Amino acid sequence: MKKLILLTLALISATLSADPLCVIKDGKFTQKGYWLREVKNTVDSADGVVFNGQDAAAWIKLNKFNAEMKEFSIVADVIVDKLPEKGNMSIACRRGYHNILGIDNLGRVNYSIYAADKTTRLLLYSKTKCKVGEKIQIAAVIENIDESEYDVILYVNGIEENRKTLYRQIYPYNRDYFYVGAIGLKAEEGFLFNGKILNMYVAEEALDEETITELK
């Protein structure tokens, strides 16, 4: 009986701690575990999937995730080819009311998230700045701490660089609208990524620093 209980607990634990979903690996969309709805003007390469900063974007449906997610993580190895002249270029975006993992014109990694009231917003910036031509690992995590309490954490090269707490319910982002390299399929100047994404992982849970560091 004791062995049966331990086995059951182990199975539950394994279910709850599923491996992060690999969206891009070694410069190619894996097309495993998600629905690649549409890709526009990207190029596979050994250095990463190339986004031209003009009209390249990908639309992904995370069909194996929950319809509404309370926690979420994005991890990406990127190389910036050109910083935006102004504003913020998007590495990944979950549309709803929207949140964006991006890089601004100063090279700062940033992450934004809205509360369900569509007014309250958290915006985090990294201390480290991306340099053109250099590979960098960036990650953003939403962790559900308590009822209507969420920690939002930003990592660069596996090191926590910023953390803020949202004391409201997050906007109910869903799995159906996840964009890579842009905030949508329509070209919107200032939001299009100009660079390469070598690897990208997403998870419907809050990944810790050790797990993020191991994702290569």
Side-chain angles (χ1 to χ4, degrees):
M1 182 66 178
K2 184 177 180 180
K3 289 183 178 179
L4 180 59
I5 293 172
L6 290 173
L7 178 60
T8 302
L9 290 173
L11 289 172
I12 292 172
S13 176
T15 301
L16 293 175
S17 58
D19 290 337
L21 175 64
C22 184
V23 174
I24 296 173
K25 182 65 176 175
D26 297 331
K28 294 182 180 180
F29 286 98
T30 66
Q31 301 192 46
K32 295 179 180 179
Y34 62 88
W35 184 6
L36 188 58
R37 291 289 299 267
E38 191 171 345
V39 181
K40 295 176 59 178
N41 304 315
T42 67
V43 178
D44 293 348
S45 81
D47 293 324
V49 178
V50 180
F51 292 80
N52 60 23
Q54 299 175 346
D55 54 9
W59 174 20
I60 291 169
K61 180 178 178 180
L62 303 172
N63 52 303
K64 292 195 174 183
F65 283 17
N66 291 316
E68 292 184 359
M69 292 171 270
K70 290 289 187 179
E71 295 191 331
F72 194 67
S73 300
I74 310 169
V75 183
D77 294 313
V78 305
I79 298 173
V80 174
D81 288 338
K82 184 180 179 181
L83 292 171
E85 293 183 6
K86 59 181 180 179
N88 188 51
M89 59 185 184
S90 177
I91 306 299
C93 176
R94 291 174 65 201
R95 291 302 289 263
Y97 198 63
H98 90 256
N99 62 343
I100 297 173
L101 173 63
I103 299 171
D104 71 6
N105 60 312
L106 299 177
R108 298 177 299 177
V109 181
N110 56 83
Y111 190 60
S112 61
I113 180 173
Y114 277 86
D117 61 14
K118 299 185 182 181
T119 301
T120 307
R121 181 189 185 212
L122 283 186
L123 177 60
L124 288 72
Y125 287 97
S126 68
K127 299 172 185 176
T128 301
K129 294 181 180 180
C130 299
K131 295 180 180 179
V132 172
E134 292 187 5
K135 188 175 78 170
I136 188 171
Q137 187 200 58
I138 62 178
V141 173
I142 301 171
E143 183 176 4
N144 188 193
I145 303 299
D146 204 346
E147 183 68 26
S148 299
E149 182 179 344
Y150 298 84
D151 272 4
V152 184
I153 314 155
L154 190 62
Y155 297 88
V156 176
N157 291 330
I159 299 172
E160 182 180 319
E161 294 226 342
N162 205 343
R163 179 190 294 253
K164 293 183 179 179
T165 303
L166 179 67
Y167 293 100
R168 294 175 183 268
Q169 281 293 344
I170 60 170
Y171 186 86
Y173 302 100
N174 66 50
R175 65 190 179 186
D176 292 343
Y177 299 100
F178 180 71
Y179 295 95
V180 179
I183 61 171
L185 285 180
K186 182 181 178 181
E188 297 190 42
E189 187 176 355
F191 287 101
L192 292 154
F193 179 53
N194 195 328
K196 307 174 188 72
I197 302 178
L198 181 61
N199 303 301
M200 176 177 282
Y201 295 85
V202 294
E204 54 180 332
E205 62 179 324
L207 300 179
D208 59 26
E209 192 169 306
E210 183 180 355
T211 303
I212 290 169
T213 302
E214 290 175 351
L215 294 176
K216 303 292 184 183

